[in-house]
Amino acid sequence: MKAKENTIALLVRNRPDVLARIAGTFSGGGFNIESITANITKTPETTKIIITTKGSATTMEKLKKQLNRLVDVLSVDDLTGRMASRRELVLFRMKWNDESRSAVMAAVDLYNWKVVCMDDRYCVIEVSGRKDSIDRAIQLLDPLGLEDFSRSGMVALEKFKPE
Amino acid sequence: MKLTGSQVLLRTMRREDVDVIFGYPGGVVLPIYDELYKEKFRHLLVRHEQGAIHAADGYARVSGKVGVCLVTSGPGATNTVTGIANAYMDSIPVVIFTGQVPTGLIGSDAFQEVDITGITRPCTKHNFLVRRIEDLASTIHEAFHIARSGRPGPVLVDLPRDVSQATIEEEDIRDDFNTLNGLEKPQQEDIAKAVEMIRAARKPVIVSGGGVLLGKASEELREFVRRTGFPITSTLMGLGAYPGSDPLWLGMPGMHGTYYANMAITGCDLLVAVGMRFDDRVTSKVDTFAPNAKIIHIDIDPVSIDRIVRSHLSIVSDAKTALGMLNAALAGGDPVPAEQTREWMDQIDAWKKRVPLRFSESTDRIKPQQVIRKLYELTKGEALIATEVGQNQMWAAQYYTYDHPHTFISSGGLGTMGFGFPAAVGAQVARPEKTVIDIAGDGSIQMNIQELATAVQYNIPVKIVILNNQYLGMVRQWQQMFYGRRYSHTDMSYAPDFVKIAEAYGATGLRASRPEELEAVLKKGLETPGVVVMDIRVEKEECVYPMVRPGASIADMDLGLELPAAETAPTNGGEDPQTRSFN
C-alpha cells in the first residue's frame, strides 16, 4: 500500500512526560515521525501537538487507535485530506558578499520573505508557507550561499470548526 | 490534623478497598514501612520483588480486585519490570508503588536511583511520578481507576521519599481527579447486524478470551451459548469462562489446541470472537485462520479490532454489556434452529471422535498428562490451577477441565517462567478456602523458588506439583522437532533435590517416580496441610500434542500419534486436512 504523508492533531494533557509517551508509541509500533510541533492552547492544562508521518491508511488507523489509548491523549484528529491550512516556518542563514547580496534580496522581494537580521557577512531570512514552497525556497537559496537553516515542522488548523 | 505522605498513601489505599500488599522494604520506602508497622496494614513479605508483582497479579486474577505491590527504588523497582510486562500483556489490574530518591536528588544518579517511570512506560497502562504531596491522594485514586477501567492493566506510581515524609492538613487532601471518558454502549444497529449474522450461520463457532473473565461476563457467555447452541472454544486466557465439561466445549484452539477446535475454526462460516485479540499462538498463519468465515469481533480495546484479523462486524464494548445486549436480542423462540447447524455439529462430533486429546500410556514411566488428569480427579475439578510456562502450562490447559471462571492462572501473553508459584501464592491469599495448585516444570520452579519462604512464613498452603522431566521441556521439544535433536543447553538434570529443598524451607516434600506411586503421592500431597512440593519424575522426552508448526495453518497439525482414517468427509472445502509429523 502507498505510504502518503498524514497530518495528525493531538490534544494532550500538559504533563511532563506526555511527549515521551507519544514518541514511545511511534517507536514501539515502528512508525516514523516526519515532523512534530507542540505548543500551548487557550487552556494551560492542554497542549496541541501536530505530527506529520508517512504511512498507508491501514497503518494510520492502527497508529491513531494506539495514540488514543494513551491516558494523557484527549483527542486524536486526522487532518489528512481535510480542509486545513498547513504552514511551516523556516529561518535561513545566508552567508553573502557584495556579489550575491543583490540576488538574495531580489528573491526576498519577489517572494515576500522577510529579512530578520543582517550585517555585511550574514543575513537571516524568515520564510513561511506550505511544505512544497519551503522545499522550493531551499533549492533557490542553496546556490546563493545558504549556510544553515532551521524548520519549525508543520502546524495545521482546520478551516472550519468540526461538528 | 496533619498527615504524612505515608499516612495519605495507606488512607487512600483503604478507600480503594485494598486489604493486602505484597512487598519488600528498602531505604526510600522506610517511612511507608514504618506506617505499615504502626497501622498493622496487612503486608506479605516476599523474598524477591518479582515474587511481589506476580503475587499481586495472581491475587487480581482470582479476586477480580486490583492487586497491589510495594517495593523500594532502584533494584527493587527494576526487579518488578518482568512482572509488570506480564500483567500488561494479560491486561491484569495491578498498582505498583515504587520508592524513589528524594525529588531534589532525581537525575543525580543517587544511590539506588533509577528512572522507573521511563523504564516502564512501554509496559504499563500508565504511570506517575508524584512530585508534591498535594497530588498524592488524587494520583493514587486515578491509578486505581486506570488499572481497573476499560481494558485493565498495570499502573505504576513512583513515590519520592520526601513526598512520603512531607505533611499535609487533612482538609487539604484532594481525592478527586479528572475521570476519563467511559465507553459508549454498543450501537443497537450493530447488535441487530450481529443477530442477523448469527441467525444465518450454518457452521458457527465462538472463540472467547480473557476479556470475558476480566469483564466478569461468564454468565452472559454461558447464556449466549445456550441461546445460540453454538460450539465454543476459548483461548488460554479465557479458560474457565465456559464449562470445560459441557458438550459444546471444544477445548483450546491454536498452537497446542485440540484437533477439533482448530478444524472448527478452519471450517466455520461464522466466527464470534469475544474478548480476545487474535494472538499469534491462536491464529498461527493469519491467512488460513477461519478463511471462510464472517467474523464478529467484540473487544473493549479498539486497538485489538482489525489489528491482526479483519472483522466483518466489530463491536467495541466490554464483554458483559455486548453479550447482554445480544442475549436480549436473541431472546424468545429458537434463534438458530438445530436443523440449520445439524450437519456442522455432526461434523464436529466426528472430529472429536476421530482425534480426541490423547497420549500414550506407559506402565513404567509416569506421563505428565496423566498427572494432570489425576489431579483433576482428586480435586473433582474444584482447585485453582496456576501454571508456570512451557509444557507444564500446555498440559495443564489441555488435561484439567475448567468449569468455573477465575480458576486457571497462567502467563499467557508474556510467557513468564517463574510466574506460577508466586501467582499461586496471590491466588491463595484471595481464596484461602480453595485448594491452589501450581503446576510447574523443574526449570520454571527454580526461577522463583525462594517464595517457598513467603508461603511457609504466612502459612499459604499452595501445593506445587513439579512435572520433573529434567529438561527445559518445551525448548527441548522444539529442538527435537526443528533442530535435529541437538539439545543445546536444555538439559536440567543437574538440579537440587526438590524434596530436601521443601524440607529446608519448612514445607513438606514428596516424590513419585513410578506410575504406581503417583496417585498415593498426589493424594497425600493434597491432604497434607501447609505448603507441599511434589516432585513427580515424568517421562523425559514427552512432547505436547497437537502441535502447529510456527507459521503454519492451524489445520496443519502434528498429532503425535497416527491419525485414524476419516469417518466422514471434512467440510472445509472438501479437502482432508493435512497432517504431518515433524519428527
Side-chain angles (χ1 to χ4, degrees):
Chain A
M1 243 179 278
K2 222 180 93 206
K4 61 169 188 174
E5 189 157 290
N6 302 271
T7 312
I8 296 170
L10 304 173
L11 207 58
V12 304
R13 283 200 251 194
N14 187 12
R15 287 186 174 168
D17 51 0
V18 67
L19 259 181
R21 290 181 198 282
I22 290 162
T25 303
F26 275 82
S27 64
F31 308 106
N32 246 322
I33 295 178
E34 296 279 313
S35 92
I36 181 165
T37 67
N39 238 309
I40 52 157
T41 62
K42 279 201 278 185
T43 35
E45 297 85 42
T46 56
T47 298
K48 187 182 255 187
I49 297 177
I50 309 283
I51 296 174
T52 59
T53 176
K54 284 199 171 122
S56 67
T58 340
T59 318
M60 281 307 108
E61 275 313 304
K62 288 182 186 178
L63 171 64
K64 281 187 279 176
K65 285 182 192 172
Q66 290 192 16
L67 289 169
N68 239 325
R69 189 157 69 170
L70 295 174
V71 169
D72 286 338
V73 170
L74 303 171
S75 70
V76 179
D77 218 3
D78 189 353
L79 300 180
T80 313
R82 298 239 293 262
M83 293 279 283
S85 303
R86 296 171 170 79
R87 290 290 180 276
E88 250 192 288
L89 181 91
V90 195
L91 296 173
F92 293 98
R93 186 171 69 237
M94 307 294 296
K95 188 169 185 179
W96 64 12
N97 51 36
D98 295 342
E99 251 171 79
S100 59
R101 191 170 298 132
S102 55
V104 172
M105 288 310 290
V108 168
D109 286 342
L110 181 63
Y111 294 104
N112 265 323
W113 295 339
K114 207 165 126 188
V115 175
V116 180
C117 60
M118 60 190 278
D119 62 15
D120 345 333
R121 290 185 305 152
Y122 293 99
C123 81
V124 172
I125 301 168
E126 177 189 318
V127 177
S128 75
R130 297 179 60 106
K131 189 170 183 283
D132 47 354
S133 54
I134 303 288
D135 290 341
R136 275 201 304 276
I138 294 171
Q139 277 175 14
L140 190 92
L141 291 174
D142 202 26
L144 299 177
L146 174 58
E147 205 184 58
D148 201 359
F149 63 86
S150 192
R151 293 175 81 146
S152 67
M154 193 197 285
V155 293
L157 188 67
E158 203 157 16
K159 286 181 182 158
F160 310 102
K161 191 173 187 254
E163 287 297 307
Chain B
M1 200 181 77
K2 272 188 186 299
L3 266 65
T4 65
S6 304
Q7 287 167 331
V8 172
L9 169 65
L10 297 197
R11 165 195 167 277
T12 314
M13 277 202 282
R14 284 223 168 84
R15 292 189 175 196
E16 289 291 345
D17 196 25
V18 176
D19 46 27
V20 61
I21 302 170
F22 301 91
Y24 204 98
V28 296
V29 287
L30 273 166
I32 301 170
Y33 270 82
D34 192 46
E35 210 49 46
L36 287 173
Y37 184 89
K38 288 190 229 158
E39 290 203 23
K40 299 190 174 60
F41 204 103
R42 188 170 185 215
H43 171 279
L44 301 186
L45 174 67
V46 296
R47 295 304 190 269
H48 186 291
E49 289 88 350
Q50 191 185 352
I53 176 74
H54 287 329
D57 178 324
Y59 173 87
R61 286 178 203 237
V62 169
S63 67
K65 291 168 62 174
V66 178
V68 175
C69 86
L70 167 63
V71 298
T72 193
S73 64
T78 53
N79 275 344
T80 64
V81 172
T82 301
I84 294 172
N86 186 76
Y88 185 67
M89 289 288 269
D90 288 348
S91 309
I92 305 302
V94 284
V95 172
I96 305 97
F97 292 103
T98 51
Q100 183 54 279
V101 301
T103 44
L105 286 179
I106 289 176
S108 71
D109 285 349
F111 178 65
Q112 293 193 328
E113 181 190 356
V114 76
D115 174 13
I116 196 63
T117 49
I119 288 172
T120 59
R121 208 172 282 134
C123 63
T124 48
K125 190 172 169 193
H126 197 64
N127 59 26
F128 298 94
L129 166 62
V130 184
R131 289 176 175 275
R132 307 177 327 140
I133 188 167
E134 292 77 14
D135 300 333
L136 184 58
S138 59
T139 304
I140 295 167
H141 284 302
E142 187 174 0
F144 277 87
H145 174 76
I146 292 169
R148 68 164 81 90
S149 62
R151 178 178 179 172
V155 180
L156 182 141
V157 183
D158 205 15
L159 302 169
R161 195 183 68 195
D162 53 329
V163 174
S164 308
Q165 284 174 318
T167 56
I168 186 169
E169 283 295 338
E170 197 169 7
E171 62 262 30
D172 294 338
I173 298 173
R174 278 182 36 243
D175 287 298
D176 58 314
F177 60 93
N178 291 331
T179 40
L180 307 159
N181 294 335
L183 269 184
E184 283 170 31
K185 267 186 90 173
Q187 302 282 326
Q188 203 49 256
E189 61 176 275
D190 284 339
I191 298 293
K193 264 187 227 159
V195 168
E196 201 178 305
M197 289 164 81
I198 287 165
R199 283 183 192 276
R202 299 188 150 269
K203 302 180 199 169
V205 68
I206 300 165
V207 185
S208 75
V212 173
L213 292 168
L214 291 163
K216 303 184 175 80
S218 299
E219 261 323 303
E220 286 77 5
L221 179 70
R222 290 165 190 221
E223 180 67 28
F224 181 62
V225 176
R226 266 198 299 277
R227 298 237 156 146
T228 56
F230 290 177
I232 172 166
T233 166
S234 292
T235 66
L236 183 83
M237 290 304 298
L239 294 178
Y242 192 81
S245 50
D246 187 88
L248 287 171
W249 173 246
L250 298 176
M252 181 174 75
M255 180 173 273
H256 295 296
T258 61
Y259 173 75
Y260 34 98
N262 285 348
M263 294 308 292
I265 288 174
T266 307
C268 71
D269 69 356
L270 175 73
L271 188 137
V272 185
V274 192
M276 55 85 77
R277 60 182 176 91
F278 296 99
D279 179 86
D280 59 274
R281 284 296 191 266
V282 171
T283 61
S284 200
K285 189 180 182 187
V286 175
D287 303 346
T288 54
F289 184 82
N292 310 315
K294 291 245 188 293
I295 293 171
I296 301 174
H297 192 185
I298 301 169
D299 199 272
I300 197 164
D301 185 359
V303 171
S304 302
I305 308 276
D306 296 340
R307 188 187 212 180
I308 313 285
V309 169
R310 275 217 161 261
S311 54
H312 298 80
L313 173 67
S314 60
I315 298 176
V316 176
S317 167
D318 66 290
K320 199 179 184 77
T321 308
L323 288 173
M325 288 173 77
L326 280 173
N327 289 338
L330 290 164
D334 187 6
V336 189
E339 304 83 68
Q340 191 173 312
T341 55
R342 177 149 303 143
E343 223 175 286
W344 174 242
M345 299 310 288
D346 289 348
Q347 171 67 70
I348 286 175
D349 274 343
W351 282 327
K352 278 186 174 179
K353 286 204 188 75
R354 191 183 188 199
V355 190
L357 265 184
R358 69 219 161 125
F359 59 96
S360 56
E361 311 231 9
S362 158
T363 49
D364 54 17
R365 302 292 299 164
I366 299 173
K367 287 300 184 108
Q369 302 93 329
Q370 179 192 356
V371 180
I372 313 289
R373 278 266 159 95
K374 193 52 84 182
L375 280 170
Y376 175 70
E377 275 172 44
L378 291 171
T379 57
K380 302 184 178 62
E382 292 296 321
L384 304 187
I385 303 292
T387 79
E388 302 291 343
V389 164
Q391 289 184 319
N392 62 78
Q393 178 184 32
M394 290 301 116
W395 285 318
Q398 292 175 330
Y399 288 95
Y400 198 94
T401 304
Y402 302 92
D403 279 340
H404 310 293
H406 314 292
T407 53
F408 179 71
I409 303 128
S410 195
S411 168
L414 196 66
T416 311
M417 288 173 70
F419 167 79
F421 178 38
V425 168
Q428 183 81 77
V429 170
R431 298 289 300 274
E433 77 289 359
K434 282 286 195 182
T435 299
V436 180
I437 302 171
D438 173 37
I439 292 173
D442 50 309
S444 294
I445 193 61
Q446 291 185 71
M447 283 208 182
N448 270 320
I449 200 161
Q450 78 286 345
E451 297 308 321
L452 277 169
T454 310
V456 172
Q457 179 184 348
Y458 298 101
N459 190 25
I460 300 165
V462 170
K463 315 299 177 199
I464 301 171
V465 175
I466 304 173
L467 304 175
N468 186 349
N469 56 13
Q470 298 175 47
Y471 277 114
L472 292 177
M474 188 58 94
V475 185
R476 186 210 58 77
Q477 176 171 340
W478 284 47
Q479 288 171 334
Q480 172 185 330
M481 291 179 166
F482 313 128
Y483 294 89
R485 288 184 186 266
R486 290 179 299 280
Y487 293 163
S488 179
H489 300 273
T490 43
D491 184 340
M492 296 288 278
S493 54
Y494 187 85
D497 180 329
F498 291 112
V499 173
K500 283 188 182 160
I501 285 260
E503 286 164 357
Y505 273 104
T508 306
L510 301 168
R511 179 173 292 120
S513 307
R514 301 199 41 83
E516 58 273 20
E517 298 166 351
L518 178 65
E519 180 160 359
V521 165
L522 292 180
K523 219 167 160 209
K524 185 168 177 212
L526 292 171
E527 282 165 3
T528 306
V531 185
V532 182
V533 178
M534 290 164 255
D535 178 18
I536 313 294
R537 300 301 181 97
V538 297
E539 175 75 73
K540 290 184 66 170
E541 298 198 24
E542 188 72 11
C543 288
V544 179
Y545 293 110
M547 173 151 186
V548 176
R549 179 194 277 264
S553 157
I554 56 166
D556 186 1
M557 286 164 270
D558 181 351
L559 300 169
L561 302 168
E562 284 284 292
L563 179 73
E567 282 150 25
T568 46
T571 58
N572 59 332
E575 278 174 50
D576 200 28
Q578 282 189 352
T579 50
R580 178 175 73 205
S581 182
F582 307 135
N583 296 334

